[in-house]
Amino acid sequence: MTDPILSVRDLAIAYRTGRKESVTAVSGVDLDLYEGQSLALVGESGCGKTTLGLGLLRLLPGLGEITSGSLTYRLKDGRRADLLKMKKEQLRRFRWNEAAMVFQGAMNAFNPVIRIVDHFADTLRDHSDGKQRWTKAEVEARAGELLETVRLDPDRVLQSYPHELSGGMKQRALIALAIALDPQVLVLDEPTTALDLLTQRSIVQQLHELRKKFGFTMVFITHDLGLAAELADRVATMYAGRIIETGSARDIFYAPKHPYTAGLINAVMPVKGERPALESIPGYPPSLKAMPDGCAFNPRCAFATAECKQDRVPLELLTDRPLAMHHSVACLHHDQVILRRKENANV
Ligand SMILES: Nc1ncnc2c1ncn2[C@@H]1O[C@H](COP(=O)(O)OP(=O)(O)OP(=O)(O)O)[C@@H](O)[C@H]1O
Ligand code: SF4
Ligand SMILES: [Mg+2]
C-alpha cells in the first residue's frame, strides 16, 4: 500500500469561457489513490467533482484543460506513467483498459441508435491492448458474462436498444460496460442519482459485489453522504474546486475537522436515533469568477478570523498514520471544530 495507483499533485483544471477568458474549476488538488480503496468525492453542486473525475482520466470536454500539476498512474504492468504526457494512442488504450468512467447523467450515455451488444463491441475493440481481436462471438460471450454479473439477462439485454431498458437496467449495463476490460480504477459519477431508492440500494449492493470479485479501485462521486458512508473507505470533501478535507470514512463522518464537512454532515437527517433539528450552511458557494481571498469558505464560516482571509489554506496532515490512511484538513482553526451531532447512523 505504499505506492499509490494514482497520484495527483497540485492539479488545476480550467474551462475556456471566451476567446481570452477562462475559469478555474479545480485547483491545488493533491490526491493519492491506493490499490483496492474506494474513495468518495463529496461536495455541493458545482464544487468541481465531475471536472476532477474527468481530469483524472483525461476525459475533459473540448473547452476544459488541465492547466498545471501532475497526474501519474501505476499501469497494470507495474510501470509508472505520466498521464499528462500520454499521446492520443496511449490515452486510447489507457482509457477503459486501465481506468474507466461511468459518466454523470449516464441514462443518456448510450448512443440511442446502437444496440447494447454493439456498445460492448466498440469498447472492447477500441480500447483493448490489441492482444485480442474480439470477434462477434467473443464480444457476445464477454458482454453476456458481464451483464450476468450485474444481474441482467443477456438474452434480453444484448440485442436491445438503450430506450428499451429501464433507468436501473441502463445504469447496470453501463457499469458492466465500464468494467469490460477489467480496469484497475473505476470512476463513477453520481451513478444512482436519478434512480428510485430500491434501485439505488440494489446498485450499491452490486458495486460491493463487483469490487469483491474484480478488486478494482473506485472513485465514487456523489453529493449523497449516506451513499458515501456506505461505499467508501475514504472520503474527500471538495469545496470551490479544492479538496479541503480527506480521511477515512470514520474520520470524516465521526470527527470531521473542516467546518464545511461538519456542516454537510449536520445537514443530513440520521436514519436512527434522535431526530435533531437539521442545520444548513448559510450562504452559497462562491462564483468561480469571484473567489474570496484566503480560504474560499470564509464568507460562510462561523470560525473565520481575519487570518482566514489572507492566504490560501493548504491541507495539513493531522495524523501520523500511513499515508494511505491519513486524515488531512485545510482549515486554520480545525482544533475548534466538533461535530455537533454525535449520532450518525448512516455510517
Ligand atoms: N464546460 C464548461 N464550461 C464552463 N464551466 C464549466 C463547464 N463544466 C463545468 N463548469 C463549471 O465548473 C464548475 C465545476 O463543475 P462540475 O460539473 O465539475 O461540478 P460538480 O461538483 O460535478 O457539480 P454537480 O454536483 O452539480 O454535478 C462549475 O462552476 C461549473 O459551472
Ligand atoms: S480556514 Fe478559517 S474560514 Fe476556512 S474553514 Fe477554517 S476557520 Fe473557516
Ligand atoms: Mg457533477
Side-chain angles (χ1 to χ4, degrees), residues 300-315:
R300 304 173 76 185
C301 181
F303 300 89
T305 59
E307 210 186 344
C308 302
K309 295 173 187 160
Q310 282 162 15
D311 301 315
R312 182 176 82 77
V313 182
L315 278 173

Side-chain angles (χ1 to χ4, degrees), residues 258-260 295-299 301-305 308 313 330-334:
H258 196 286
Y260 177 67
C295 168
F297 190 56
N298 82 66
C301 181
F303 300 89
T305 59
C308 302
V313 182
C331 173
L332 295 176
H333 304 302
H334 59 76

Side-chain angles (χ1 to χ4, degrees), residues 259-305:
Y260 177 67
T261 315
L264 286 179
I265 294 169
N266 281 328
V268 180
M269 185 65 82
V271 291
K272 69 178 185 208
E274 278 178 38
R275 311 228 107 200
L278 292 187
E279 296 174 22
S280 67
I281 304 172
Y284 300 97
S287 149
L288 296 181
K289 290 186 175 159
M291 280 290 170
D293 288 338
C295 168
F297 190 56
N298 82 66
R300 304 173 76 185
C301 181
F303 300 89
T305 59

Side-chain angles (χ1 to χ4, degrees), residues 193-231:
T193 300
L195 304 173
D196 65 80
L197 264 178
L198 283 178
T199 313
Q200 273 192 16
R201 304 266 5 113
S202 137
I203 300 264
V204 166
Q205 184 56 34
Q206 214 93 98
L207 285 171
H208 278 302
E209 285 169 19
L210 290 174
R211 276 187 71 214
K212 215 180 275 172
K213 182 164 177 185
F214 296 101
F216 51 77
T217 303
M218 186 160 88
V219 179
F220 187 83
I221 297 175
T222 183
H223 56 256
D224 183 334
L225 292 183
L227 278 184
E230 237 181 288
L231 272 164

Side-chain angles (χ1 to χ4, degrees), residues 49-50 104 189-190:
K49 304 181 296 296
T50 296
Q104 184 168 15
D189 193 353
E190 307 272 11

Side-chain angles (χ1 to χ4, degrees), residues 13-16 50-51 54-55 58-66:
I13 301 173
Y15 288 106
R16 249 175 296 127
T50 296
T51 303
L54 293 169
R58 287 210 42 204
L59 280 166
L60 288 160
L63 294 175
E65 88 176 300
I66 294 177

Side-chain angles (χ1 to χ4, degrees), residues 31 38-50 52-53 188-190 219-232 234-249 252-253 256 258 260-265 268:
L31 185 68
S38 158
L39 173 87
L41 212 50
V42 303
E44 274 166 296
S45 184
C47 68
K49 304 181 296 296
T50 296
L52 178 58
L188 298 122
D189 193 353
E190 307 272 11
V219 179
F220 187 83
I221 297 175
T222 183
H223 56 256
D224 183 334
L225 292 183
L227 278 184
E230 237 181 288
L231 272 164
R234 291 188 62 74
V235 178
T237 316
M238 284 191 82
Y239 186 78
R242 292 177 184 274
I243 290 180
I244 47 99
E245 182 162 13
T246 173
S248 66
I252 298 295
F253 290 107
H258 196 286
Y260 177 67
T261 315
L264 286 179
I265 294 169
V268 180

